């Protein structure tokens, strides 16, 4: 995972390096492969430095932050595949309708995803409410069963008391 920072914090910018790869070590010396690889890229630090385009990462960073003709020419010379991207950008500048259409499609998809998320959240809320209702019903049923048992016990005691009164009279 790459985290691009337009304005990096002083912890990142003070090092003078634009690429910061997370490394994990264990006190026992055990070396385990990482499940998540995170690299922080300080775009502002990269922008300030003078860089040769040595690898694909440098090429993409140059593409993202440098728009001057000299940088674009250096990038295209080192990585000719970027020319197609620049052509597409130039086309969008000339005729923005397609770009607007792409944004409209992206927004529509975002709306759909938001709607699905909200529906999932509502389903969870309904399931929780139903579970709470069922638990409350069980408690109410148990309380009613306890009341019925107490009433039967009271009736039984009344009946026993009535039998003693009939046999022995008032106490």
């Amino acid at each position: 995972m790459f985290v691009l920072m337009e304005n990096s914090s002083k912890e990142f910018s003070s090092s003078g390096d634009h690429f910061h790869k997370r490394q994990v070590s264990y006190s026992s010396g055990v070396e385990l492969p990482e499940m998540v690889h995170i690299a922080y890229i300080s775009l502002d630090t990269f922008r300030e430095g003078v860089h040769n385009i040595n690898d694909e990462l440098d090429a993409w960073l140059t593409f993202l932050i440098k728009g001057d003709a000299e940088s674009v020419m250096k990038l295209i010379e080192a990585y000719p595949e970027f020319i197609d991207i620049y052509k597409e950008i130039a086309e969008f500048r000339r005729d923005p309708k397609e770009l607007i259409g792409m944004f409209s499609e992206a927004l529509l998809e975002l709306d759909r995803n938001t709607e699905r998320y909200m529906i999932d959240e509502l389903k969870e809320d309904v399931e929780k409410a139903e579970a709470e209702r069922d638990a409350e019903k069980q408690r109410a049923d148990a309380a009613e069963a306890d009341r019925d048992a107490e009433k039967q016990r009271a009736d039984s005691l009344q009946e026993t008391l009535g039998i003693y009164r009939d046999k022995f009279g008032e106490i």
Side-chain angles (χ1 to χ4, degrees):
M1 172 180 9
F2 290 99
V3 178
L4 300 174
M5 298 178 293
E6 181 69 30
N7 297 307
S8 55
S9 64
K10 71 176 183 177
E11 292 85 5
F12 289 108
S13 60
S14 65
S15 75
D17 194 7
H18 66 277
F19 190 77
H20 311 275
K21 184 178 177 184
R22 181 178 142 214
Q23 295 177 339
V24 176
S25 63
Y26 297 92
S27 60
S28 64
V30 172
E31 292 184 23
L32 298 173
E34 282 298 306
M35 298 294 279
V36 176
H37 300 279
I38 300 176
Y40 296 92
I41 300 173
S42 306
L43 295 176
D44 52 345
T45 308
F46 183 82
R47 186 180 297 113
E48 291 170 7
V50 176
H51 298 283
N52 292 325
I53 302 172
N54 298 321
D55 56 24
E56 194 171 354
L57 177 62
D58 288 343
W60 278 106
L61 292 177
T62 300
F63 172 76
L64 288 174
I65 65 168
K66 297 196 176 190
D68 61 283
E70 183 182 338
S71 298
V72 170
M73 290 309 295
K74 280 175 61 177
L75 176 60
I76 291 173
E77 285 172 10
Y79 287 87
E81 59 266 28
F82 278 89
I83 198 162
D84 291 335
I85 299 171
Y86 281 113
K87 283 180 182 177
E88 213 170 309
I89 290 170
E91 182 62 33
F92 287 142
R93 285 182 176 169
R94 252 185 287 135
D95 185 18
K97 289 178 188 174
E98 185 178 343
L99 183 61
I100 292 170
M102 289 171 57
F103 279 126
S104 295
E105 288 175 24
L107 288 172
L108 183 62
E109 185 62 29
L110 182 62
D111 285 346
R112 280 192 213 116
N113 291 341
T114 301
E115 184 179 320
R116 284 186 204 122
Y117 175 75
M118 291 174 70
I119 289 171
D120 290 344
E121 289 287 310
L122 286 173
K123 282 181 183 177
E124 276 183 32
D125 290 347
V126 167
E127 289 170 0
K128 284 179 187 176
E130 287 175 345
E132 289 173 9
R133 182 198 65 210
D134 292 345
E136 189 59 38
K137 184 171 180 350
Q138 287 178 346
R139 284 192 290 274
D141 290 347
E144 188 175 338
D146 288 346
R147 278 193 304 274
D148 290 346
E150 285 299 317
K151 185 172 180 341
Q152 285 179 347
R153 191 168 156 227
D155 290 347
S156 175
L157 287 173
Q158 276 298 95
E159 188 178 315
T160 303
L161 184 58
I163 293 171
Y164 279 119
R165 281 191 184 139
D166 290 344
K167 236 180 195 183
F168 303 108
E170 280 299 315
I171 300 178

